[in-house]
């Protein structure tokens, strides 16, 4: 609770109650206990965690109001932003607050925008947000009016969401990939996933900073830096790195700039920043979420994924984003997600599951403190009824070089197609290389564009070198994962997600020492990271990955682990 709010008296005003339409999210437990308003929030004896004790008695009147139809009574005036504290609030809690009339979506949006204003370029200068949506407040106000008339569309109605700045929005915000070359690039329409989020009632709050061009400009880059947004900083220790490339999305969630965020991943760009900033990140199976309207690296690995402070909220966002899309044929092969999945998660999901412990991930044994966290996590899963099969090894020899070859070929082809189709101010990778050279002091003050140059030298996707690399990388990794899953009858494989965040150093670039993301990334399989512990105050995550389209099972397992471990803490 905001301690300052204890000093503020709560003025009153007249409100008229109305019958709650059937379409409203239930306030008591017929469908989902997460949407029950706990006694501690509005009960007769409790104090609401977001307002002063002086308002508790007034909220009793508010509870009575929901039981009466069209009666006039005296209720508390809407609290000021200074009286509110939505830090660490879950989607369910925010929905409960809006359903009771305690706050509105407009209030939520204004609160998050105030927090962005205070911490993004001031104070710790986290630089997680590259641009706020000038229409966010008016959108929230319209959704509030719709709620009052028709009830909410669903669990995301009025909930603020931040998007990585390489995701198209057909509005006043640019889709820039953090690049000065696309600073004024406005997409002709929404990416399919954005259209789905708007349809679900989400409020697109802002665009997040990122590693420029999703960290595919140079191998000497500093994660989280872009020529438009500057250096994103880790909220747990601002001199440390947030990882990337979805740096701003992860930091925005961790620092409570938003309720939810969307990142994108080709290899590690959702799970690494999520792990390094102490949040949940889901890299879905390839095809579960449409790739339409995302500035690409490589169509054989690219996907968007949700980021949240807890597994249930990440699952809510994933359900809203996922689905078939005529603009992306790969989605036709993906199974439909169960829309009730977020409401069916249970702490007992680890019981009876067979969990394989990966021991030959890249950098295994390099950080003793991470190994200790990993071991404690393994023992915790055992205590919750999981059967653990230790010392799993996946043979992926030769996959790394083949993956890079694929990414270089696909980046040139896919980026050129995107730039031309979206009417971007530059029309090709060659144009971008020339732009960067012409604006070298602003665009390349710390690192160059060696990956751009290598990609530009590649030919067509019909060339044998590309086709052979694609087949080799997919086969090596998919066969490796499938073999251990089948041999040991596994439900999931686990490994550490990340090391503690390294110090940001623009001269030397990133200092990665361990990673487990490439297995699922190259295979196109799902991967979920959940907070697992801290090393010197810096978060470390644990990854759960498994068979293609095993997303729902992995989410259930990850939720059970999260419920048992309860590691997440605010920076």
């Amino acid at each position: 609770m905001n301690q300052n709010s204890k000093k503020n008296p709560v003025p009153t005003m007249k409100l008229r109650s109305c019958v709650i339409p059937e379409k409203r999210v239930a306030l008591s437990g017929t469908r989902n206990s997460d949407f029950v308003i706990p006694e501690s929030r509005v009960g007769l004896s409790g104090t609401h965690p977001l307002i002063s004790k002086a308002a508790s008695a007034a909220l009793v009147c508010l509870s009575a109001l929901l039981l009466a139809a069209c009666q006039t009574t005296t209720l508390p005036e809407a609290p000021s932003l200074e009286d509110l504290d939505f830090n660490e609030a879950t989607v369910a809690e925010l929905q409960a607050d809006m359903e009771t009339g305690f706050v509105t979506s407009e209030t939520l949006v204004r609160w998050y925008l105030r927090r962005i204003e205070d911490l993004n370029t001031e104070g710790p200068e986290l630089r997680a947000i590259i641009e706020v949506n000038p229409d966010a407040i008016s959108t929230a106000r319209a959704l509030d009016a719709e709620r009052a008339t028709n009830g909410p569309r669903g669990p995301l109605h009025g909930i603020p969401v931040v998007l990585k700045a390489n995701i198209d929005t057909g509005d006043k915000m640019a889709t820039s990939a953090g690049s000065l070359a696309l600073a004024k690039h406005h997409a002709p329409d929404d990416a399919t996933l954005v259209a789905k989020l708007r349809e679900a009632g989400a409020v697109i709050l802002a665009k997040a900073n990122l590693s420029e061009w999703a960290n595919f400009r140079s191998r000497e880059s500093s994660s989280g830096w872009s020529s438009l947004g500057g250096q994103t900083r880790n909220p747990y220790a601002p001199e440390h790195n947030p990882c990337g490339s979805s740096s701003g999305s992860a930091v925005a969630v961790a620092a409570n700039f938003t309720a939810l965020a969307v990142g994108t991943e080709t290899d590690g760009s959702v799970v690494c920043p999520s792990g390094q900033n102490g949040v949940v990140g889901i890299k879905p199976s390839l095809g579960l979420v449409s790739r339409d309207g995302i500035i690409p690296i490589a169509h054989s690995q690219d996907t968007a994924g949700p980021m949240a402070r807890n597994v249930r909220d990440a699952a809510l966002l994933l359900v809203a984003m996922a689905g078939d899309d005529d603009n992306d044929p790969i989605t036709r092969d993906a199974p439909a997600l169960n829309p009730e999945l977020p409401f069916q998660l249970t702490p007992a999901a680890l019981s009876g599951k067979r969990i394989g412990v990966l021991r030959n991930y890249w950098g295994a044994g390099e950080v003793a403190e991470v190994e200790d966290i990993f071991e404690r996590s393994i023992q915790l899963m055992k205590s919750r009824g999981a059967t653990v099969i230790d010392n799993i090894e996946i043979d992926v020899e030769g996959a790394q070089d083949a993956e890079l070859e694929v990414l270089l070929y696909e980046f040139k082809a896919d980026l050129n197609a995107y730039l031309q189709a979206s009417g971007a101010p530059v029309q090709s990778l060659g144009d971008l290389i020339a732009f960067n050279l012409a604006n070298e002091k602003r665009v390349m003050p710390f690192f160059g564009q060696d990956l751009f140059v290598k990609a530009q030298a590649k030919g067509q996707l019909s060339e044998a070198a590309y086709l052979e690399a694609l087949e080799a990388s997919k086969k090596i990794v998919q066969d490796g994962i499938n073999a251990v899953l089948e041999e040991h009858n596994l439900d999931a494989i686990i490994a550490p997600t990340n090391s503690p965040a390294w110090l940001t150093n623009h001269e030397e670039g990133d200092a990665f020492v361990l990673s487990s993301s490439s297995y699922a990334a190259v295979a196109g399989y799902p991967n979920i990271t959940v907070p697992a512990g801290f090393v010197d105050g810096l978060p470390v995550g644990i990854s759960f990955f498994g068979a293609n389209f095993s997303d729902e099972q992995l989410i259930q397992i990850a939720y059970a682990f999260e419920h048992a471990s309860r590691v997440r803490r605010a920076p």
Side-chain angles (χ1 to χ4, degrees), residues 351-547:
S351 181
K353 295 296 189 298
R354 294 177 60 83
I355 309 296
V357 179
L358 184 66
R359 293 294 186 180
N360 69 328
Y361 61 89
W362 181 74
E366 288 293 320
V367 184
E369 296 89 344
V370 172
E371 294 297 328
D372 290 343
I373 290 170
F374 193 35
E375 292 303 323
R376 291 197 297 271
S377 299
I378 293 167
Q379 295 307 314
L380 180 61
M381 285 183 243
K382 286 181 178 180
S383 74
R384 293 304 189 271
T387 298
V388 171
I389 295 84
D390 208 341
N391 204 26
I392 295 295
E393 293 192 1
I394 301 174
D395 183 5
V396 293
E397 185 176 355
Q400 185 175 18
D401 291 342
E403 179 194 13
L404 179 58
E405 186 78 351
V406 169
L407 300 189
L408 291 169
Y409 266 96
E410 291 188 3
F411 181 67
K412 179 182 179 181
D414 295 353
L415 183 63
N416 286 349
Y418 171 85
L419 294 173
Q420 292 161 21
S422 65
V426 287
Q427 288 287 286
S428 69
L429 177 57
D431 290 348
L432 280 173
I433 292 171
F435 178 92
N436 290 344
L437 289 173
N439 297 273
E440 186 172 2
K441 289 185 178 180
R442 296 179 63 188
V443 176
M444 299 190 290
F446 306 122
F447 54 89
Q449 53 180 345
D450 50 286
L451 289 176
F452 272 19
V453 173
K454 289 181 179 179
Q456 179 64 11
K458 297 300 180 184
Q460 303 298 312
L461 298 187
S462 57
E463 291 185 358
Y466 164 72
L467 296 173
E468 291 169 3
L470 178 63
E471 182 179 6
S473 63
K474 292 292 185 186
K475 179 175 175 54
I476 290 169
V477 181
Q478 290 177 351
D479 286 355
I481 295 173
N482 294 344
V484 298
L485 290 173
E486 182 177 352
E487 178 184 356
H488 301 286
N489 192 26
L490 299 178
D491 296 296
I493 300 168
I494 59 172
T497 304
N498 61 285
S499 66
W502 55 87
L503 289 168
T504 296
N505 186 325
H506 291 145
E507 292 183 2
E508 297 184 6
D510 290 332
F512 286 102
V513 295
L514 70 85
S515 174
S516 60
S517 65
S518 292
Y519 301 95
V522 177
Y525 293 177
N527 190 7
I528 302 174
T529 184
V530 178
F534 290 84
V535 176
D536 296 329
L538 296 169
V540 171
I542 185 170
S543 288
F544 300 81
F545 65 97

Side-chain angles (χ1 to χ4, degrees), residues 86-91 111-112 115-116 120 126 128-129 160-164 205 208 232-233 235-236 246-263 270 273-274 277-281 305-311 313-314 317 531 568-571:
F86 294 110
N87 275 302
E88 300 298 289
T90 67
V91 169
W111 189 88
Y112 284 119
R115 189 163 174 84
I116 291 169
N120 194 57
L126 297 180
I129 301 299
V161 178
V162 165
L163 303 174
K164 189 175 179 180
L205 183 69
T232 307
R233 308 177 81 191
Y236 289 88
S246 303
S247 315
S249 298
V251 171
V253 171
N256 286 275
F257 285 2
T258 182
L260 303 167
V262 180
V270 165
S274 294
N277 293 281
V279 300
V280 174
M307 304 164 93
R309 288 181 290 273
N310 63 80
V311 173
D313 285 357
L317 186 54
R568 160 78 188 167
R569 65 173 182 254

Side-chain angles (χ1 to χ4, degrees), residues 53-172:
K53 290 182 178 179
S56 283
L59 287 174
V60 174
C61 297
L62 185 58
S63 298
L65 177 64
L66 292 173
L67 301 176
C70 299
Q71 294 179 352
T72 302
T73 188
T74 300
L75 293 171
E77 186 177 278
S80 67
L81 294 180
E82 290 76 11
D83 292 333
L84 296 170
D85 186 356
F86 294 110
N87 275 302
E88 300 298 289
T90 67
V91 169
E93 289 169 340
L94 296 177
Q95 283 295 348
D97 289 334
M98 288 188 284
E99 278 300 298
T100 60
F102 173 70
V103 295
T104 62
S105 177
E106 181 180 347
T107 302
L108 292 180
V109 167
R110 289 184 182 277
W111 189 88
Y112 284 119
L113 289 176
R114 172 73 67 86
R115 189 163 174 84
I116 291 169
E117 181 181 353
D118 289 345
L119 301 176
N120 194 57
T121 56
E122 303 290 337
E125 297 184 22
L126 297 180
R127 297 194 179 277
I129 301 299
I130 210 166
E131 182 180 10
V132 298
N133 183 0
D135 295 326
I137 291 174
S138 61
T139 299
R141 189 178 298 139
L143 287 165
D144 287 332
E146 181 182 321
R147 181 189 293 268
T149 303
N150 301 319
R153 302 180 190 182
L156 293 189
H157 189 111
I159 299 296
V161 178
V162 165
L163 303 174
K164 189 175 179 180
N166 63 345
I167 300 173
D168 283 352
T169 52
D171 54 20
K172 296 174 184 175

